[in-house]
Amino acid sequence: MTDLPGKPTSASRTTLSHIMTAHDTNLLGTVHGGVIMKLVDDAAGAVAGRHSGGPAVTASMDEMAFLMPVRVGDLVHVKAQVNWTGRSSMEVGVRVLAERWNESTPAQQVGSAYLVFAAVDADGKPRQVPPVLPETERDERRYQEAQIRRTHRLARRRAILELREKRSAEGLDD
């Protein structure tokens, strides 16, 4: 698939931490989901760039789950790592944790996401990425789950294209 030497999962793993302020809130007084999504994309982009050794762009956000609200004063930790690599693409898994800034209670998981990044060269063309080398049983599980998600993404894309072609052939262009 690639002639680049592989990189272990730990080589690009990172954590981005940010304290949530009133500026981050929505109309309900909790942190806006878009603020969390930006932090997720920032952390995932850093990991993708580290792993690929250069620029990488967000190709898709496969899934974003919000498990509980984040409040003003929460210290949010966004943990990201490369789960899987293809020729020029990478799936980055992200866990979002939150803890009160002034308490010593354990952080709770408040969200998770899977993003796909494409490594690009200076002209914006795809470039090869090193294979990811899972180091632990957890990394291996994440790698296998990422392959399943990729298979589903590709099957969904094919099914949608086939439906559009069929509708177009029937004169049902939207």
Side-chain angles (χ1 to χ4, degrees):
M1 192 177 310
T2 180
D3 52 356
L4 299 173
K7 286 186 178 180
T9 307
S10 62
S12 57
R13 188 179 289 140
T14 195
T15 300
L16 172 69
S17 296
H18 189 79
I19 193 157
M20 299 290 106
T21 67
H23 178 74
D24 301 315
T25 60
N26 59 26
L27 295 175
L28 298 174
T30 57
V31 173
H32 194 288
V35 171
I36 301 298
M37 291 174 77
K38 181 173 183 343
L39 294 173
V40 164
D41 192 45
D42 288 347
V47 166
R50 281 181 174 184
H51 183 83
S52 68
V57 296
T58 311
S60 69
M61 179 176 274
D62 201 37
E63 181 179 323
M64 177 77 207
F66 297 99
L67 305 174
M68 59 181 43
V70 176
R71 301 173 293 166
V72 170
D74 281 353
L75 181 57
V76 172
H77 308 286
V78 183
K79 297 175 176 278
Q81 75 172 48
V82 173
N83 290 335
W84 176 91
T85 53
R87 192 187 75 71
S88 62
S89 63
M90 301 159 274
E91 184 196 88
V92 179
V94 181
R95 288 181 55 219
V96 183
L97 306 158
E99 62 181 305
R100 295 305 293 167
W101 69 273
N102 59 347
E103 298 174 8
S104 59
T105 55
Q108 290 187 302
Q109 185 171 351
V110 296
S112 64
Y114 299 101
L115 296 89
V116 177
F117 279 79
V120 294
D121 63 18
D123 297 321
K125 303 282 189 243
R127 61 181 175 81
Q128 283 190 343
V129 299
V132 67
L133 305 174
E135 298 174 279
T136 66
E137 285 298 319
R138 178 181 276 181
D139 292 342
E140 185 60 40
R141 174 186 54 79
R142 288 177 176 165
Y143 183 88
Q144 292 170 350
E145 290 173 357
Q147 289 179 303
I148 293 168
R149 282 186 292 275
R150 179 177 187 271
T151 299
H152 286 232
R153 273 192 306 275
L154 294 175
R156 182 177 62 232
R157 183 182 303 149
R158 272 193 307 275
I160 289 169
L161 289 174
E162 288 170 6
L163 177 63
R164 287 179 180 172
E165 288 172 8
K166 179 182 175 209
R167 289 182 57 82
S168 178
E170 294 171 353
L172 300 173
D173 287 334
D174 295 333

